[in-house]
Amino acid sequence: MIRGSKADEVLTLLFMLLAVAAIICFFAVESRAVFMVCGGVAALLRIVQYILRFFL
């Protein structure tokens, strides 16, 4: 994956949305599990994006 490509931009946008959702869940939801899931999925998505950049 080339940096700046359409797929890279979509993955970055999805990461940002999940990160903002995790921050909102941290303050708005009593259960920390929702925060951990949103944050974990965001971090995992970012790691996958970097792996795709490195190998493709």
mmCIF file of all heavy atoms in Angstrom:
data_model
loop_
_atom_site.group_PDB
_atom_site.id
_atom_site.type_symbol
_atom_site.label_atom_id
_atom_site.label_comp_id
_atom_site.label_asym_id
_atom_site.label_seq_id
_atom_site.Cartn_x
_atom_site.Cartn_y
_atom_site.Cartn_z
ATOM 1 N N MET A 1 0.848 -1.168 0.000
ATOM 2 C CA MET A 1 0.000 0.000 0.000
ATOM 3 C C MET A 1 0.898 1.236 0.000
ATOM 4 O O MET A 1 1.822 1.342 0.794
ATOM 5 C CB MET A 1 -0.903 -0.002 1.229
ATOM 6 C CG MET A 1 -1.701 1.231 1.381
ATOM 7 S SD MET A 1 -2.728 1.336 2.856
ATOM 8 C CE MET A 1 -3.314 -0.292 3.097
ATOM 9 N N ILE A 2 0.606 2.144 -0.876
ATOM 10 C CA ILE A 2 1.384 3.366 -0.989
ATOM 11 C C ILE A 2 0.786 4.414 -0.056
ATOM 12 O O ILE A 2 -0.432 4.562 0.045
ATOM 13 C CB ILE A 2 1.382 3.877 -2.436
ATOM 14 C CG1 ILE A 2 2.027 2.839 -3.352
ATOM 15 C CG2 ILE A 2 2.097 5.204 -2.545
ATOM 16 C CD1 ILE A 2 1.887 3.153 -4.820
ATOM 17 N N ARG A 3 1.665 5.116 0.624
ATOM 18 C CA ARG A 3 1.203 6.164 1.522
ATOM 19 C C ARG A 3 0.534 7.261 0.704
ATOM 20 O O ARG A 3 1.064 7.729 -0.297
ATOM 21 C CB ARG A 3 2.379 6.733 2.287
ATOM 22 C CG ARG A 3 1.946 7.643 3.357
ATOM 23 C CD ARG A 3 3.057 7.966 4.283
ATOM 24 N NE ARG A 3 2.471 8.744 5.357
ATOM 25 C CZ ARG A 3 3.145 9.289 6.319
ATOM 26 N NH1 ARG A 3 4.425 9.130 6.381
ATOM 27 N NH2 ARG A 3 2.533 9.978 7.242
ATOM 28 N N GLY A 4 -0.663 7.649 1.140
ATOM 29 C CA GLY A 4 -1.421 8.657 0.422
ATOM 30 C C GLY A 4 -2.423 8.085 -0.560
ATOM 31 O O GLY A 4 -3.168 8.835 -1.181
ATOM 32 N N SER A 5 -2.437 6.763 -0.714
ATOM 33 C CA SER A 5 -3.399 6.156 -1.617
ATOM 34 C C SER A 5 -4.800 6.216 -1.003
ATOM 35 O O SER A 5 -4.974 6.541 0.169
ATOM 36 C CB SER A 5 -3.020 4.708 -1.916
ATOM 37 O OG SER A 5 -3.157 3.916 -0.758
ATOM 38 N N LYS A 6 -5.787 5.887 -1.803
ATOM 39 C CA LYS A 6 -7.173 5.952 -1.340
ATOM 40 C C LYS A 6 -7.417 4.975 -0.178
ATOM 41 O O LYS A 6 -8.067 5.325 0.799
ATOM 42 C CB LYS A 6 -8.109 5.653 -2.506
ATOM 43 C CG LYS A 6 -9.521 6.022 -2.226
ATOM 44 C CD LYS A 6 -9.639 7.490 -1.929
ATOM 45 C CE LYS A 6 -10.795 8.093 -2.642
ATOM 46 N NZ LYS A 6 -10.988 9.487 -2.270
ATOM 47 N N ALA A 7 -6.872 3.762 -0.287
ATOM 48 C CA ALA A 7 -7.050 2.772 0.781
ATOM 49 C C ALA A 7 -6.371 3.233 2.067
ATOM 50 O O ALA A 7 -6.907 3.044 3.169
ATOM 51 C CB ALA A 7 -6.487 1.425 0.338
ATOM 52 N N ASP A 8 -5.219 3.859 1.943
ATOM 53 C CA ASP A 8 -4.504 4.358 3.112
ATOM 54 C C ASP A 8 -5.297 5.468 3.796
ATOM 55 O O ASP A 8 -5.386 5.514 5.029
ATOM 56 C CB ASP A 8 -3.123 4.867 2.685
ATOM 57 C CG ASP A 8 -2.253 5.228 3.863
ATOM 58 O OD1 ASP A 8 -2.102 4.383 4.765
ATOM 59 O OD2 ASP A 8 -1.720 6.351 3.884
ATOM 60 N N GLU A 9 -5.892 6.341 2.997
ATOM 61 C CA GLU A 9 -6.695 7.420 3.563
ATOM 62 C C GLU A 9 -7.943 6.897 4.260
ATOM 63 O O GLU A 9 -8.337 7.407 5.304
ATOM 64 C CB GLU A 9 -7.078 8.414 2.473
ATOM 65 C CG GLU A 9 -5.908 9.221 1.962
ATOM 66 C CD GLU A 9 -6.293 10.171 0.857
ATOM 67 O OE1 GLU A 9 -7.507 10.308 0.575
ATOM 68 O OE2 GLU A 9 -5.387 10.776 0.272
ATOM 69 N N VAL A 10 -8.564 5.867 3.690
ATOM 70 C CA VAL A 10 -9.761 5.276 4.308
ATOM 71 C C VAL A 10 -9.403 4.616 5.638
ATOM 72 O O VAL A 10 -10.118 4.780 6.631
ATOM 73 C CB VAL A 10 -10.429 4.271 3.342
ATOM 74 C CG1 VAL A 10 -11.490 3.456 4.050
ATOM 75 C CG2 VAL A 10 -11.013 4.994 2.145
ATOM 76 N N LEU A 11 -8.296 3.887 5.672
ATOM 77 C CA LEU A 11 -7.880 3.253 6.927
ATOM 78 C C LEU A 11 -7.513 4.290 7.984
ATOM 79 O O LEU A 11 -7.817 4.114 9.165
ATOM 80 C CB LEU A 11 -6.695 2.315 6.675
ATOM 81 C CG LEU A 11 -7.031 1.016 5.950
ATOM 82 C CD1 LEU A 11 -5.753 0.235 5.655
ATOM 83 C CD2 LEU A 11 -7.982 0.174 6.767
ATOM 84 N N THR A 12 -6.889 5.381 7.571
ATOM 85 C CA THR A 12 -6.560 6.445 8.517
ATOM 86 C C THR A 12 -7.818 7.102 9.057
ATOM 87 O O THR A 12 -7.923 7.371 10.263
ATOM 88 C CB THR A 12 -5.651 7.491 7.849
ATOM 89 O OG1 THR A 12 -4.456 6.843 7.403
ATOM 90 C CG2 THR A 12 -5.285 8.595 8.812
ATOM 91 N N LEU A 13 -8.787 7.351 8.192
ATOM 92 C CA LEU A 13 -10.052 7.940 8.626
ATOM 93 C C LEU A 13 -10.783 7.010 9.590
ATOM 94 O O LEU A 13 -11.299 7.456 10.624
ATOM 95 C CB LEU A 13 -10.937 8.255 7.420
ATOM 96 C CG LEU A 13 -12.299 8.849 7.732
ATOM 97 C CD1 LEU A 13 -12.143 10.227 8.355
ATOM 98 C CD2 LEU A 13 -13.140 8.919 6.488
ATOM 99 N N LEU A 14 -10.811 5.725 9.283
ATOM 100 C CA LEU A 14 -11.455 4.755 10.170
ATOM 101 C C LEU A 14 -10.758 4.692 11.526
ATOM 102 O O LEU A 14 -11.405 4.629 12.574
ATOM 103 C CB LEU A 14 -11.467 3.378 9.498
ATOM 104 C CG LEU A 14 -12.288 2.298 10.152
ATOM 105 C CD1 LEU A 14 -13.747 2.718 10.258
ATOM 106 C CD2 LEU A 14 -12.169 1.013 9.371
ATOM 107 N N PHE A 15 -9.429 4.757 11.511
ATOM 108 C CA PHE A 15 -8.673 4.778 12.761
ATOM 109 C C PHE A 15 -9.030 6.001 13.598
ATOM 110 O O PHE A 15 -9.249 5.897 14.806
ATOM 111 C CB PHE A 15 -7.166 4.751 12.483
ATOM 112 C CG PHE A 15 -6.344 5.138 13.671
ATOM 113 C CD1 PHE A 15 -6.176 4.261 14.724
ATOM 114 C CD2 PHE A 15 -5.746 6.386 13.748
ATOM 115 C CE1 PHE A 15 -5.429 4.615 15.831
ATOM 116 C CE2 PHE A 15 -5.003 6.750 14.831
ATOM 117 C CZ PHE A 15 -4.832 5.861 15.896
ATOM 118 N N MET A 16 -9.079 7.155 12.950
ATOM 119 C CA MET A 16 -9.398 8.387 13.678
ATOM 120 C C MET A 16 -10.804 8.338 14.278
ATOM 121 O O MET A 16 -11.018 8.767 15.409
ATOM 122 C CB MET A 16 -9.278 9.600 12.757
ATOM 123 C CG MET A 16 -7.881 9.941 12.388
ATOM 124 S SD MET A 16 -6.981 10.470 13.847
ATOM 125 C CE MET A 16 -5.446 10.917 13.132
ATOM 126 N N LEU A 17 -11.759 7.816 13.521
ATOM 127 C CA LEU A 17 -13.127 7.706 14.038
ATOM 128 C C LEU A 17 -13.197 6.765 15.237
ATOM 129 O O LEU A 17 -13.876 7.054 16.227
ATOM 130 C CB LEU A 17 -14.069 7.245 12.932
ATOM 131 C CG LEU A 17 -14.333 8.248 11.818
ATOM 132 C CD1 LEU A 17 -15.165 7.596 10.711
ATOM 133 C CD2 LEU A 17 -15.018 9.478 12.354
ATOM 134 N N LEU A 18 -12.487 5.649 15.156
ATOM 135 C CA LEU A 18 -12.472 4.715 16.285
ATOM 136 C C LEU A 18 -11.761 5.309 17.497
ATOM 137 O O LEU A 18 -12.180 5.086 18.641
ATOM 138 C CB LEU A 18 -11.802 3.405 15.873
ATOM 139 C CG LEU A 18 -12.661 2.465 15.033
ATOM 140 C CD1 LEU A 18 -11.809 1.334 14.473
ATOM 141 C CD2 LEU A 18 -13.792 1.907 15.869
ATOM 142 N N ALA A 19 -10.707 6.071 17.263
ATOM 143 C CA ALA A 19 -9.998 6.698 18.375
ATOM 144 C C ALA A 19 -10.877 7.739 19.070
ATOM 145 O O ALA A 19 -10.915 7.808 20.303
ATOM 146 C CB ALA A 19 -8.703 7.335 17.873
ATOM 147 N N VAL A 20 -11.590 8.531 18.297
ATOM 148 C CA VAL A 20 -12.500 9.522 18.882
ATOM 149 C C VAL A 20 -13.640 8.821 19.619
ATOM 150 O O VAL A 20 -14.030 9.242 20.715
ATOM 151 C CB VAL A 20 -13.040 10.476 17.788
ATOM 152 C CG1 VAL A 20 -14.178 11.328 18.308
ATOM 153 C CG2 VAL A 20 -11.914 11.353 17.270
ATOM 154 N N ALA A 21 -14.149 7.733 19.057
ATOM 155 C CA ALA A 21 -15.208 6.967 19.727
ATOM 156 C C ALA A 21 -14.697 6.392 21.047
ATOM 157 O O ALA A 21 -15.434 6.364 22.041
ATOM 158 C CB ALA A 21 -15.703 5.850 18.819
ATOM 159 N N ALA A 22 -13.455 5.954 21.080
ATOM 160 C CA ALA A 22 -12.884 5.425 22.318
ATOM 161 C C ALA A 22 -12.770 6.516 23.375
ATOM 162 O O ALA A 22 -13.067 6.276 24.555
ATOM 163 C CB ALA A 22 -11.510 4.807 22.036
ATOM 164 N N ILE A 23 -12.372 7.706 22.975
ATOM 165 C CA ILE A 23 -12.267 8.812 23.935
ATOM 166 C C ILE A 23 -13.643 9.189 24.472
ATOM 167 O O ILE A 23 -13.807 9.407 25.677
ATOM 168 C CB ILE A 23 -11.584 10.028 23.271
ATOM 169 C CG1 ILE A 23 -10.127 9.704 22.979
ATOM 170 C CG2 ILE A 23 -11.681 11.267 24.153
ATOM 171 C CD1 ILE A 23 -9.432 10.720 22.115
ATOM 172 N N ILE A 24 -14.630 9.225 23.591
ATOM 173 C CA ILE A 24 -15.994 9.535 24.034
ATOM 174 C C ILE A 24 -16.504 8.452 24.977
ATOM 175 O O ILE A 24 -17.115 8.753 26.011
ATOM 176 C CB ILE A 24 -16.917 9.721 22.822
ATOM 177 C CG1 ILE A 24 -16.547 10.994 22.077
ATOM 178 C CG2 ILE A 24 -18.384 9.754 23.243
ATOM 179 C CD1 ILE A 24 -17.234 11.156 20.743
ATOM 180 N N CYS A 25 -16.243 7.194 24.653
ATOM 181 C CA CYS A 25 -16.693 6.090 25.510
ATOM 182 C C CYS A 25 -15.999 6.112 26.866
ATOM 183 O O CYS A 25 -16.584 5.700 27.864
ATOM 184 C CB CYS A 25 -16.439 4.757 24.824
ATOM 185 S SG CYS A 25 -17.535 4.441 23.439
ATOM 186 N N PHE A 26 -14.778 6.585 26.905
ATOM 187 C CA PHE A 26 -14.056 6.651 28.176
ATOM 188 C C PHE A 26 -14.779 7.551 29.168
ATOM 189 O O PHE A 26 -14.851 7.250 30.358
ATOM 190 C CB PHE A 26 -12.630 7.162 27.941
ATOM 191 C CG PHE A 26 -11.805 7.221 29.185
ATOM 192 C CD1 PHE A 26 -11.271 6.066 29.731
ATOM 193 C CD2 PHE A 26 -11.554 8.427 29.816
ATOM 194 C CE1 PHE A 26 -10.503 6.109 30.883
ATOM 195 C CE2 PHE A 26 -10.798 8.483 30.960
ATOM 196 C CZ PHE A 26 -10.261 7.324 31.498
ATOM 197 N N PHE A 27 -15.318 8.658 28.679
ATOM 198 C CA PHE A 27 -15.976 9.604 29.567
ATOM 199 C C PHE A 27 -17.481 9.395 29.672
ATOM 200 O O PHE A 27 -18.079 9.761 30.680
ATOM 201 C CB PHE A 27 -15.706 11.038 29.092
ATOM 202 C CG PHE A 27 -14.269 11.440 29.241
ATOM 203 C CD1 PHE A 27 -13.460 11.587 28.130
ATOM 204 C CD2 PHE A 27 -13.722 11.656 30.495
ATOM 205 C CE1 PHE A 27 -12.140 11.948 28.253
ATOM 206 C CE2 PHE A 27 -12.398 12.021 30.638
ATOM 207 C CZ PHE A 27 -11.598 12.167 29.521
ATOM 208 N N ALA A 28 -18.112 8.811 28.659
ATOM 209 C CA ALA A 28 -19.569 8.748 28.635
ATOM 210 C C ALA A 28 -20.147 7.416 29.122
ATOM 211 O O ALA A 28 -21.264 7.398 29.630
ATOM 212 C CB ALA A 28 -20.075 9.015 27.219
ATOM 213 N N VAL A 29 -19.416 6.323 28.962
ATOM 214 C CA VAL A 29 -19.958 5.007 29.280
ATOM 215 C C VAL A 29 -19.340 4.511 30.584
ATOM 216 O O VAL A 29 -18.135 4.654 30.806
ATOM 217 C CB VAL A 29 -19.656 4.017 28.122
ATOM 218 C CG1 VAL A 29 -20.201 2.644 28.435
ATOM 219 C CG2 VAL A 29 -20.231 4.540 26.828
ATOM 220 N N GLU A 30 -20.179 3.953 31.440
ATOM 221 C CA GLU A 30 -19.668 3.467 32.722
ATOM 222 C C GLU A 30 -18.798 2.222 32.571
ATOM 223 O O GLU A 30 -17.831 2.046 33.292
ATOM 224 C CB GLU A 30 -20.836 3.159 33.660
ATOM 225 C CG GLU A 30 -21.512 4.406 34.188
ATOM 226 C CD GLU A 30 -22.547 4.072 35.241
ATOM 227 O OE1 GLU A 30 -22.425 3.028 35.889
ATOM 228 O OE2 GLU A 30 -23.470 4.878 35.394
ATOM 229 N N SER A 31 -19.149 1.368 31.642
ATOM 230 C CA SER A 31 -18.386 0.146 31.433
ATOM 231 C C SER A 31 -17.111 0.456 30.659
ATOM 232 O O SER A 31 -17.148 1.031 29.566
ATOM 233 C CB SER A 31 -19.227 -0.866 30.647
ATOM 234 O OG SER A 31 -18.447 -1.978 30.309
ATOM 235 N N ARG A 32 -15.979 0.093 31.208
ATOM 236 C CA ARG A 32 -14.701 0.344 30.543
ATOM 237 C C ARG A 32 -14.449 -0.653 29.416
ATOM 238 O O ARG A 32 -13.544 -0.468 28.612
ATOM 239 C CB ARG A 32 -13.542 0.288 31.541
ATOM 240 C CG ARG A 32 -13.583 1.389 32.554
ATOM 241 C CD ARG A 32 -13.253 2.717 31.909
ATOM 242 N NE ARG A 32 -13.306 3.775 32.897
ATOM 243 C CZ ARG A 32 -13.904 4.922 32.709
ATOM 244 N NH1 ARG A 32 -14.513 5.163 31.575
ATOM 245 N NH2 ARG A 32 -13.925 5.830 33.630
ATOM 246 N N ALA A 33 -15.258 -1.702 29.344
ATOM 247 C CA ALA A 33 -15.077 -2.699 28.286
ATOM 248 C C ALA A 33 -15.323 -2.088 26.910
ATOM 249 O O ALA A 33 -14.616 -2.405 25.956
ATOM 250 C CB ALA A 33 -16.012 -3.886 28.517
ATOM 251 N N VAL A 34 -16.287 -1.194 26.806
ATOM 252 C CA VAL A 34 -16.578 -0.548 25.526
ATOM 253 C C VAL A 34 -15.388 0.307 25.096
ATOM 254 O O VAL A 34 -14.980 0.300 23.935
ATOM 255 C CB VAL A 34 -17.855 0.317 25.626
ATOM 256 C CG1 VAL A 34 -18.137 1.031 24.330
ATOM 257 C CG2 VAL A 34 -19.039 -0.527 26.049
ATOM 258 N N PHE A 35 -14.812 1.025 26.050
ATOM 259 C CA PHE A 35 -13.620 1.834 25.775
ATOM 260 C C PHE A 35 -12.458 0.952 25.330
ATOM 261 O O PHE A 35 -11.759 1.272 24.369
ATOM 262 C CB PHE A 35 -13.241 2.636 27.020
ATOM 263 C CG PHE A 35 -11.824 3.128 27.011
ATOM 264 C CD1 PHE A 35 -11.445 4.151 26.152
ATOM 265 C CD2 PHE A 35 -10.886 2.579 27.852
ATOM 266 C CE1 PHE A 35 -10.135 4.611 26.136
ATOM 267 C CE2 PHE A 35 -9.580 3.027 27.845
ATOM 268 C CZ PHE A 35 -9.203 4.052 26.983
ATOM 269 N N MET A 36 -12.268 -0.161 26.000
ATOM 270 C CA MET A 36 -11.156 -1.054 25.665
ATOM 271 C C MET A 36 -11.340 -1.678 24.284
ATOM 272 O O MET A 36 -10.372 -1.829 23.539
ATOM 273 C CB MET A 36 -11.025 -2.148 26.722
ATOM 274 C CG MET A 36 -10.668 -1.618 28.093
ATOM 275 S SD MET A 36 -9.070 -0.831 28.120
ATOM 276 C CE MET A 36 -8.039 -2.248 28.250
ATOM 277 N N VAL A 37 -12.576 -2.012 23.931
ATOM 278 C CA VAL A 37 -12.830 -2.598 22.612
ATOM 279 C C VAL A 37 -12.578 -1.566 21.515
ATOM 280 O O VAL A 37 -11.889 -1.851 20.533
ATOM 281 C CB VAL A 37 -14.267 -3.166 22.530
ATOM 282 C CG1 VAL A 37 -14.634 -3.508 21.103
ATOM 283 C CG2 VAL A 37 -14.400 -4.377 23.428
ATOM 284 N N CYS A 38 -13.115 -0.364 21.679
ATOM 285 C CA CYS A 38 -12.909 0.688 20.664
ATOM 286 C C CYS A 38 -11.430 1.026 20.528
ATOM 287 O O CYS A 38 -10.911 1.139 19.421
ATOM 288 C CB CYS A 38 -13.695 1.940 21.024
ATOM 289 S SG CYS A 38 -15.434 1.832 20.703
ATOM 290 N N GLY A 39 -10.763 1.198 21.631
ATOM 291 C CA GLY A 39 -9.341 1.523 21.595
ATOM 292 C C GLY A 39 -8.502 0.382 21.045
ATOM 293 O O GLY A 39 -7.557 0.610 20.282
ATOM 294 N N GLY A 40 -8.848 -0.834 21.407
ATOM 295 C CA GLY A 40 -8.111 -1.995 20.910
ATOM 296 C C GLY A 40 -8.276 -2.194 19.421
ATOM 297 O O GLY A 40 -7.305 -2.483 18.714
ATOM 298 N N VAL A 41 -9.485 -2.027 18.930
ATOM 299 C CA VAL A 41 -9.721 -2.164 17.499
ATOM 300 C C VAL A 41 -9.002 -1.046 16.735
ATOM 301 O O VAL A 41 -8.425 -1.287 15.672
ATOM 302 C CB VAL A 41 -11.238 -2.169 17.188
ATOM 303 C CG1 VAL A 41 -11.504 -2.059 15.708
ATOM 304 C CG2 VAL A 41 -11.876 -3.422 17.755
ATOM 305 N N ALA A 42 -9.001 0.159 17.286
ATOM 306 C CA ALA A 42 -8.296 1.268 16.643
ATOM 307 C C ALA A 42 -6.798 0.988 16.572
ATOM 308 O O ALA A 42 -6.171 1.188 15.526
ATOM 309 C CB ALA A 42 -8.556 2.565 17.394
ATOM 310 N N ALA A 43 -6.222 0.513 17.661
ATOM 311 C CA ALA A 43 -4.790 0.212 17.671
ATOM 312 C C ALA A 43 -4.465 -0.936 16.721
ATOM 313 O O ALA A 43 -3.466 -0.890 15.990
ATOM 314 C CB ALA A 43 -4.347 -0.129 19.086
ATOM 315 N N LEU A 44 -5.299 -1.963 16.711
ATOM 316 C CA LEU A 44 -5.083 -3.098 15.819
ATOM 317 C C LEU A 44 -5.188 -2.676 14.357
ATOM 318 O O LEU A 44 -4.380 -3.106 13.521
ATOM 319 C CB LEU A 44 -6.097 -4.197 16.126
ATOM 320 C CG LEU A 44 -5.932 -5.507 15.368
ATOM 321 C CD1 LEU A 44 -4.612 -6.167 15.763
ATOM 322 C CD2 LEU A 44 -7.086 -6.429 15.662
ATOM 323 N N LEU A 45 -6.133 -1.816 14.049
ATOM 324 C CA LEU A 45 -6.281 -1.312 12.691
ATOM 325 C C LEU A 45 -5.041 -0.532 12.264
ATOM 326 O O LEU A 45 -4.559 -0.679 11.144
ATOM 327 C CB LEU A 45 -7.519 -0.428 12.594
ATOM 328 C CG LEU A 45 -7.806 0.171 11.231
ATOM 329 C CD1 LEU A 45 -8.228 -0.921 10.254
ATOM 330 C CD2 LEU A 45 -8.877 1.230 11.344
ATOM 331 N N ARG A 46 -4.504 0.272 13.161
ATOM 332 C CA ARG A 46 -3.309 1.057 12.835
ATOM 333 C C ARG A 46 -2.103 0.149 12.609
ATOM 334 O O ARG A 46 -1.301 0.388 11.697
ATOM 335 C CB ARG A 46 -3.028 2.049 13.959
ATOM 336 C CG ARG A 46 -2.067 3.107 13.596
ATOM 337 C CD ARG A 46 -2.582 3.911 12.424
ATOM 338 N NE ARG A 46 -1.927 5.187 12.394
ATOM 339 C CZ ARG A 46 -2.255 6.161 11.612
ATOM 340 N NH1 ARG A 46 -3.247 6.014 10.773
ATOM 341 N NH2 ARG A 46 -1.628 7.291 11.626
ATOM 342 N N ILE A 47 -1.963 -0.895 13.418
ATOM 343 C CA ILE A 47 -0.860 -1.842 13.245
ATOM 344 C C ILE A 47 -0.977 -2.549 11.901
ATOM 345 O O ILE A 47 0.011 -2.708 11.179
ATOM 346 C CB ILE A 47 -0.830 -2.840 14.416
ATOM 347 C CG1 ILE A 47 -0.403 -2.123 15.689
ATOM 348 C CG2 ILE A 47 0.108 -4.006 14.114
ATOM 349 C CD1 ILE A 47 -0.585 -2.943 16.946
ATOM 350 N N VAL A 48 -2.189 -2.967 11.542
ATOM 351 C CA VAL A 48 -2.406 -3.618 10.247
ATOM 352 C C VAL A 48 -2.078 -2.655 9.117
ATOM 353 O O VAL A 48 -1.460 -3.047 8.117
ATOM 354 C CB VAL A 48 -3.863 -4.128 10.143
ATOM 355 C CG1 VAL A 48 -4.212 -4.514 8.727
ATOM 356 C CG2 VAL A 48 -4.081 -5.290 11.094
ATOM 357 N N GLN A 49 -2.429 -1.393 9.274
ATOM 358 C CA GLN A 49 -2.124 -0.408 8.249
ATOM 359 C C GLN A 49 -0.611 -0.268 8.053
ATOM 360 O O GLN A 49 -0.120 -0.226 6.931
ATOM 361 C CB GLN A 49 -2.730 0.942 8.614
ATOM 362 C CG GLN A 49 -2.498 2.008 7.579
ATOM 363 C CD GLN A 49 -3.090 3.346 7.982
ATOM 364 O OE1 GLN A 49 -3.565 3.516 9.103
ATOM 365 N NE2 GLN A 49 -3.053 4.287 7.087
ATOM 366 N N TYR A 50 0.146 -0.220 9.131
ATOM 367 C CA TYR A 50 1.600 -0.116 9.008
ATOM 368 C C TYR A 50 2.211 -1.372 8.399
ATOM 369 O O TYR A 50 3.156 -1.290 7.621
ATOM 370 C CB TYR A 50 2.235 0.186 10.360
ATOM 371 C CG TYR A 50 2.104 1.625 10.766
ATOM 372 C CD1 TYR A 50 1.595 1.977 12.003
ATOM 373 C CD2 TYR A 50 2.471 2.653 9.905
ATOM 374 C CE1 TYR A 50 1.468 3.291 12.380
ATOM 375 C CE2 TYR A 50 2.343 3.976 10.272
ATOM 376 C CZ TYR A 50 1.852 4.283 11.509
ATOM 377 O OH TYR A 50 1.720 5.598 11.881
ATOM 378 N N ILE A 51 1.661 -2.541 8.735
ATOM 379 C CA ILE A 51 2.158 -3.786 8.140
ATOM 380 C C ILE A 51 1.889 -3.795 6.644
ATOM 381 O O ILE A 51 2.750 -4.182 5.847
ATOM 382 C CB ILE A 51 1.526 -5.003 8.838
ATOM 383 C CG1 ILE A 51 2.094 -5.141 10.253
ATOM 384 C CG2 ILE A 51 1.760 -6.276 8.042
ATOM 385 C CD1 ILE A 51 1.396 -6.181 11.104
ATOM 386 N N LEU A 52 0.689 -3.356 6.242
ATOM 387 C CA LEU A 52 0.370 -3.295 4.820
ATOM 388 C C LEU A 52 1.257 -2.301 4.090
ATOM 389 O O LEU A 52 1.676 -2.543 2.957
ATOM 390 C CB LEU A 52 -1.106 -2.931 4.616
ATOM 391 C CG LEU A 52 -2.110 -4.019 4.960
ATOM 392 C CD1 LEU A 52 -3.530 -3.470 4.845
ATOM 393 C CD2 LEU A 52 -1.930 -5.229 4.092
ATOM 394 N N ARG A 53 1.567 -1.188 4.722
ATOM 395 C CA ARG A 53 2.480 -0.219 4.101
ATOM 396 C C ARG A 53 3.874 -0.817 3.910
ATOM 397 O O ARG A 53 4.539 -0.550 2.916
ATOM 398 C CB ARG A 53 2.615 1.019 4.978
ATOM 399 C CG ARG A 53 1.537 2.007 4.813
ATOM 400 C CD ARG A 53 1.896 3.251 5.613
ATOM 401 N NE ARG A 53 0.757 4.130 5.778
ATOM 402 C CZ ARG A 53 0.751 5.163 6.603
ATOM 403 N NH1 ARG A 53 1.810 5.432 7.316
ATOM 404 N NH2 ARG A 53 -0.322 5.919 6.692
ATOM 405 N N PHE A 54 4.308 -1.594 4.876
ATOM 406 C CA PHE A 54 5.663 -2.148 4.816
ATOM 407 C C PHE A 54 5.780 -3.234 3.761
ATOM 408 O O PHE A 54 6.766 -3.298 3.027
ATOM 409 C CB PHE A 54 6.050 -2.700 6.188
ATOM 410 C CG PHE A 54 7.438 -3.226 6.260
ATOM 411 C CD1 PHE A 54 8.520 -2.351 6.274
ATOM 412 C CD2 PHE A 54 7.681 -4.583 6.286
ATOM 413 C CE1 PHE A 54 9.812 -2.836 6.342
ATOM 414 C CE2 PHE A 54 8.965 -5.077 6.349
ATOM 415 C CZ PHE A 54 10.037 -4.205 6.375
ATOM 416 N N PHE A 55 4.782 -4.110 3.673
ATOM 417 C CA PHE A 55 4.899 -5.259 2.782
ATOM 418 C C PHE A 55 4.327 -5.038 1.392
ATOM 419 O O PHE A 55 4.651 -5.780 0.467
ATOM 420 C CB PHE A 55 4.224 -6.490 3.406
ATOM 421 C CG PHE A 55 5.027 -7.055 4.545
ATOM 422 C CD1 PHE A 55 4.530 -7.028 5.833
ATOM 423 C CD2 PHE A 55 6.263 -7.602 4.335
ATOM 424 C CE1 PHE A 55 5.260 -7.536 6.890
ATOM 425 C CE2 PHE A 55 7.013 -8.133 5.366
ATOM 426 C CZ PHE A 55 6.498 -8.080 6.649
ATOM 427 N N LEU A 56 3.441 -4.083 1.198
ATOM 428 C CA LEU A 56 2.862 -3.873 -0.122
ATOM 429 C C LEU A 56 3.434 -2.667 -0.807
ATOM 430 O O LEU A 56 3.750 -1.694 -0.372
ATOM 431 C CB LEU A 56 1.337 -3.741 -0.027
ATOM 432 C CG LEU A 56 0.619 -4.969 0.467
ATOM 433 C CD1 LEU A 56 -0.872 -4.720 0.494
ATOM 434 C CD2 LEU A 56 0.899 -6.170 -0.406
#
